[in-house]
Amino acid sequence: MGKGISTLLAVLRRRGLPALSTLAAVIGASVAYLAVTPRFYETSARLMVDAKGVSVSELGRDLTQPSVVGRSSNPLADQAELVKSQAVLDKAIEKLVSQNKNSANPIDLKTTDITSSLKVSIVPATNILEVRYYNQNPEFAAEVLNAVSQAMVEENIQAISSEATKVRQFLEKEVPVARNRLQKAEVAESKYRQQSGVIADTDQTRSLVESLANLEDQERILLAQVQEARSRDDSLRKLTATKNINNAYTSVRSGQDEQLKALRAKLTQLETQLIEARLQFTDNHPRVVSLLGQRDQIRTLYGEEVARVSPANQTASSADVASDQISQNLTTQLINNEVERLAVENKLRAVQSMRTNLQARLTVLPLRQQPLTMLTRQREEAAESLKLLQSKLEEARIAEAQKVSNLRIIEIAQAPTAYAYPKRSVVLVIAMFFGSILATGIVLLLELMDNRLYDVADAEELLKLPLLGVLPRLPATKLTLEPAEKFLDDVGLVEPYRMLLKNLEFRSSDKLQIVVVSSTISGEGKSVVVSHLGAVAAMLSRRTLIIDADLRRPVQHTLFNLPPKPGITDVLNGNRSLLSAAQSTDIENLFVLTCGELHGRPSQLLESEAMKSLVAEAALHYDLVIIDTPPLGVCADASTLSQYSDGVIMTTRPSVTLKESLQRAVAELNQNRIPILGVVINGMETETEKYYRYPIDENQSFLSRPLRRLNLLGSSSRNSQNDLR
């Protein structure tokens, strides 16, 4: 995360100028746009869609309700679209023309002119439409918008009135048809009632059911009475020994008739006398015969009288006559019970017959009532339809005459005092946004087009080689080492080179003696790296030799303020020995073999066996030999000399080193099997430099005692070197 932020900041520092220039150009263009763009004024009006209480008739209220077509339809959205309709806008233009017909500047508007500047929106969670219109003239904008609002209301009124007229015309045709249909239904129902004798189905059914229930109750009661009468009859018959009702009647009448009573008394007297006479006389005695004749005569007369009082001229013996009061009462009760039983049985039979008849009628009644039910329903439907049509016809007439609307203006348009377009803040924000995007795009484009290295991370990611050190940027006064103490006293500059030297030693399994320092192109500071690395190595008690093998553009003698001769060419030509040609410097243990006299064929000298022998001899007399070579991208001298060394140090410099050149140089070294010791990043501010730049506190600085610190470091390194030897 921190690495990404630091990389981003580094990119912004590199590309800050073009990015800011681009952003400033876009903002300047937006300011120019605001200056030249005409200003438009916007005004607004509000319409409410509300049908409550707008009509005294129900049909009028129905017509003013916003229509909904389909599940996804929105009545407010439909009204919003109608505001921009041709009819509404034409009517608004007519209003504007009529209002300004006496004006010096007559209005010449088209519907397209209004539509392009007219905006309609729905206020959220309300039934309110907000209509907006903008124009360069604020008064004219308000006038146009009010005309549109009025035209919208009038168009709504006209549409509702037209709907009411259509409904009225339709109902005026349908009402007579419905009336005729009702009359036909009434005639058909009445005719069927007369033919079938069926009354209202529910009343008749209810009456029959109630009557049947009453008859069933009566039948149960009569059955109980019959059972009671029969039981009583059986008991009375046993008491009176009467076989049938006629005999009982005859017995009672005979016992109650006065003549029969007299005849029975006379007959009883004759019987008594006859018994007495028979006791005294024989049956042939005149007295007995006379009494027998009288008895028979009385009996005959008695039989005639009994036949007179009996119901079927029946005869009854005197023994069957209820002569006493108890017998007469019991026989009378028997007769009355029999009469009551017969009456109850007759009534029961009548009730049962009526019940059977009612059950048959109740069974047939639904079949006979079904046509009546259908006719009744048809008549009721016709009546209800006629009633509804008549009421709707009256409502349609009221709605047509009332001129109702479901739209009303709740806020008229006012002439605005401040312009609405263009919006300065919006334009500037958009300009900032797109300017930032464009600036970012330019930065990215420049980064993509730029093939140079800029930081340590780029080098590590690109080469996949060990990083030996990050070396500081050197001011012009620090490039040369005369006097040398100025460089060695600056701990912030010395420490990075000391760390480079230590990294070289620690990362090599064998002792390093010969090191080639090169770069890909000129300007990456390889010669300065060589001179300062040699100075630090010598300071640390290492006998160091710097060989300036860049025979095309030698600079080591300049850096150490030495004469160019004698040099390497003198040694290679055999004019001088290595030790005599190597010049000493102001720094103890540091020697420089300058270039010497420039040769026309430097590659021939460096490829010679003499050069190989020179390097081998240097390794015998010095602890560390550092060879300064031409850039790898210029010639193959560095590759040639690297074959005689322990490895190559590649020097890179931010904003100078080209990625492709560096990759190509490293690839060539790898192909030639030349060991690469690592990479050095030159010309950057290091952490060591920052550390020694700032004081610990207000009274003491790390730079207050740099020489003592370096002497301690040097003595420690010298002791270590002696131990290694």
Side-chain angles (χ1 to χ4, degrees):
M1 180 69 180
K3 182 178 179 181
I5 294 176
S6 62
T7 303
L8 178 61
L9 293 177
V11 172
L12 292 178
R13 283 196 298 269
R14 291 195 299 269
R15 311 299 180 188
L17 182 59
L20 291 177
S21 300
T22 303
L23 182 60
V26 174
I27 295 176
S30 65
V31 173
Y33 168 78
L34 292 173
V36 300
T37 302
R39 297 179 178 180
F40 288 89
Y41 295 84
E42 185 179 61
T43 185
S44 64
R46 290 193 173 190
L47 302 173
M48 176 178 283
V49 181
D50 188 6
K52 296 180 180 179
V54 296
S55 177
V56 296
S57 67
E58 184 178 355
L59 179 63
R61 290 191 291 272
D62 293 339
L63 292 175
T64 54
Q65 291 293 332
S67 61
V68 177
V69 181
R71 295 183 179 178
S72 60
S73 178
N74 186 353
L76 288 178
D78 296 340
Q79 295 293 336
E81 290 299 321
L82 287 175
V83 175
K84 297 182 179 181
S85 64
Q86 184 76 24
V88 173
L89 296 182
D90 287 341
K91 188 172 292 186
I93 292 174
E94 290 178 3
K95 285 182 171 293
L96 290 172
V97 171
S98 63
Q99 292 174 2
N100 296 272
K101 61 182 178 179
N102 297 326
S103 176
N105 297 321
I107 294 178
D108 184 16
L109 270 180
K110 297 180 181 179
T111 56
T112 55
D113 299 334
I114 300 178
T115 304
S116 60
S117 303
L118 189 66
K119 298 179 181 179
V120 184
S121 61
I122 301 173
V123 179
T126 65
N127 291 334
I128 297 176
L129 297 177
E130 186 174 29
V131 187
R132 294 181 174 275
Y133 181 77
Y134 62 91
N135 192 274
Q136 296 183 19
N137 188 341
E139 290 79 8
F140 182 72
E143 189 176 353
V144 169
L145 193 54
N146 287 328
V148 171
S149 301
Q150 291 291 339
M152 183 63 184
V153 174
E154 293 177 4
E155 180 69 19
N156 188 263
I157 293 174
Q158 183 178 355
I160 294 176
S161 179
S162 176
E163 291 294 328
T165 302
K166 293 178 182 179
V167 173
R168 177 184 59 78
Q169 293 173 352
F170 170 77
L171 292 176
E172 286 178 347
K173 295 178 182 179
E174 290 297 320
V175 167
V177 176
R179 187 177 290 111
N180 292 334
R181 187 164 57 249
L182 176 60
Q183 291 176 354
K184 290 180 181 180
E186 290 175 345
V187 170
E189 182 184 5
S190 177
K191 184 177 179 181
Y192 183 80
R193 288 182 184 275
Q194 292 176 0
Q195 292 177 353
S196 63
V198 179
I199 59 175
D201 52 355
T202 55
D203 295 341
Q204 190 169 13
T205 302
R206 187 184 305 109
S207 176
L208 289 176
V209 171
E210 291 177 355
S211 299
L212 182 61
N214 292 332
L215 290 176
E216 289 176 349
D217 292 340
Q218 293 179 18
E219 183 180 7
R220 286 193 293 272
I221 294 172
L222 292 174
L223 283 173
Q225 292 177 356
V226 168
Q227 293 295 332
E228 183 182 358
R230 288 176 179 175
S231 177
R232 192 164 52 248
D233 183 80
D234 291 340
S235 299
L236 291 173
R237 285 179 184 274
K238 291 177 181 180
L239 292 174
T240 59
T242 303
K243 297 179 180 180
N244 54 58
I245 192 64
N246 292 328
N247 292 336
Y249 181 76
T250 301
S251 176
V252 172
R253 289 292 303 273
S254 299
Q256 293 178 350
D257 190 86
E258 294 297 331
Q259 293 180 2
L260 289 175
K261 287 181 179 181
L263 290 174
R264 282 195 301 274
K266 185 66 176 174
L267 186 59
T268 301
Q269 184 180 1
L270 290 174
E271 288 289 342
T272 303
Q273 292 176 1
L274 180 60
I275 292 171
E276 291 177 354
R278 282 179 174 177
L279 292 174
Q280 295 176 4
F281 306 104
T282 63
D283 291 340
N284 295 324
H285 189 272
R287 175 107 179 132
V288 173
V289 173
S290 174
L291 289 173
L292 287 172
Q294 291 179 3
R295 188 192 66 177
D296 294 336
Q297 184 179 1
I298 294 299
R299 283 182 176 177
T300 302
L301 181 61
Y302 183 82
E304 292 177 354
E305 289 297 325
V306 169
R308 179 178 61 81
V309 297
S310 64
N313 295 322
Q314 294 179 352
T315 60
S317 62
S318 59
D320 295 332
V321 174
S323 57
D324 60 288
Q325 187 64 37
I326 294 175
S327 298
Q328 289 182 358
N329 291 337
L330 290 175
T331 305
T332 300
Q333 289 180 8
L334 176 62
I335 294 172
N336 291 333
N337 183 72
E338 185 69 15
V339 172
E340 289 178 1
R341 182 182 65 79
L342 292 175
V344 171
E345 288 180 350
N346 291 333
K347 188 175 181 180
L348 177 62
R349 285 192 292 271
V351 169
Q352 290 175 342
S353 176
M354 291 175 62
R355 179 178 60 79
T356 303
N357 186 23
L358 285 179
Q359 286 178 341
R361 289 178 61 187
L362 191 61
T363 303
V364 178
L365 184 61
L367 299 177
R368 298 177 64 188
Q369 284 182 342
Q370 185 175 2
L372 177 62
T373 302
M374 182 180 65
L375 293 174
T376 303
R377 184 167 58 251
Q378 291 176 353
R379 188 255 307 163
E380 292 175 350
E381 291 175 353
E384 188 67 24
S385 177
L386 177 60
K387 181 179 178 181
L388 178 62
L389 291 175
Q390 288 176 340
S391 63
K392 292 298 180 182
L393 178 59
E394 293 300 323
E395 292 176 3
R397 290 170 179 169
I398 295 173
E400 183 181 8
Q402 194 178 1
K403 304 295 183 182
V404 295
S405 171
N406 61 1
L407 278 178
R408 60 189 178 96
I409 301 173
I410 61 174
E411 182 180 324
I412 63 174
Q414 302 290 339
T417 57
Y419 69 91
Y421 302 100
K423 294 183 178 180
R424 177 181 294 273
S425 58
V426 174
V427 172
L428 291 178
V429 169
I430 293 175
M432 289 287 293
F433 177 73
F434 285 102
S436 301
I437 293 178
L438 185 58
T440 303
I442 289 177
V443 169
L444 294 177
L445 181 61
L446 292 175
E447 284 293 312
L448 291 175
M449 294 174 61
D450 194 352
N451 196 32
R452 292 175 292 179
L453 285 177
Y454 283 100
D455 54 25
V456 177
D458 286 346
E460 290 179 333
E461 183 178 357
L462 181 66
L463 300 177
K464 308 299 181 184
L465 293 175
L467 178 64
L468 297 176
V470 179
L471 304 179
R473 293 187 298 268
L474 296 178
T477 57
K478 299 290 185 177
L479 294 178
T480 61
L481 296 179
E482 176 61 31
E485 288 77 7
K486 291 184 178 180
F487 166 72
L488 297 179
D489 287 344
D490 192 344
V491 181
L493 297 179
V494 170
E495 281 302 314
Y497 286 95
R498 179 172 172 268
M499 293 175 65
L500 170 60
L501 181 61
K502 290 300 180 182
N503 287 334
L504 284 171
E505 293 177 350
F506 294 155
R507 293 182 184 179
S508 177
S509 58
D510 299 328
K511 179 182 178 182
L512 286 177
Q513 277 192 296
I514 303 173
V515 177
V516 173
V517 179
S518 185
S519 62
T520 57
I521 59 175
S522 179
E524 293 175 303
K526 61 175 180 57
S527 298
V528 175
V529 172
V530 170
S531 62
H532 287 64
L533 179 61
V536 171
M539 179 193 71
L540 297 177
S541 302
R542 287 168 178 76
R543 183 176 173 82
T544 305
L545 174 64
I546 296 176
I547 300 177
D548 191 354
D550 190 353
L551 302 183
R552 292 171 177 80
R553 296 177 60 182
V555 295
Q556 290 298 330
H557 63 283
T558 304
L559 296 176
F560 287 95
N561 196 19
L562 297 173
K565 300 178 183 179
I568 189 173
T569 56
D570 298 311
V571 177
L572 294 177
N573 291 328
N575 298 329
R576 282 285 189 109
S577 64
L578 172 62
L579 295 178
S580 62
Q583 302 181 46
S584 61
T585 63
D586 294 337
I587 301 175
E588 185 181 359
N589 296 323
L590 179 61
F591 300 88
V592 178
L593 180 60
T594 61
C595 64
E597 185 177 356
L598 295 179
H599 194 275
R601 298 175 184 174
S603 299
Q604 182 179 1
L605 291 176
L606 297 178
E607 293 280 355
S608 63
E609 288 295 328
M611 184 64 194
K612 183 176 181 182
S613 300
L614 185 150
V615 173
E617 184 181 359
L620 293 175
H621 296 90
Y622 297 95
D623 297 331
L624 179 63
V625 179
I626 305 174
I627 304 175
D628 185 9
T629 63
L632 288 167
V634 176
C635 60
D637 294 349
S639 300
T640 300
L641 296 175
S642 298
Q643 298 176 357
Y644 314 143
S645 67
D646 295 325
V648 181
I649 298 176
M650 293 298 301
T651 305
T652 62
R653 184 167 189 155
S655 304
V656 176
T657 302
L658 299 178
K659 295 180 181 179
E660 292 182 358
S661 300
L662 181 60
Q663 284 180 314
R664 185 167 55 251
V666 172
E668 291 177 355
L669 292 175
N670 289 329
Q671 289 177 0
N672 296 328
R673 298 182 180 179
I674 297 174
I676 302 175
L677 299 177
V679 181
V680 174
I681 307 298
N682 188 30
M684 295 190 68
E685 184 176 13
T686 64
E687 294 298 326
T688 305
E689 192 177 5
K690 296 178 184 177
Y691 177 79
Y692 285 105
R693 177 182 301 171
Y694 303 106
I696 297 177
D697 53 40
E698 297 178 355
N699 300 320
Q700 186 176 6
S701 171
F702 270 110
L703 299 180
S704 61
R705 292 179 293 175
L707 290 177
R708 181 184 176 190
R709 290 170 55 85
L710 286 175
N711 290 332
L712 291 174
L713 292 173
S715 61
S716 175
S717 300
R718 190 180 304 113
N719 294 332
S720 300
Q721 191 70 15
N722 294 331
D723 293 339
L724 291 173
R725 289 179 182 176

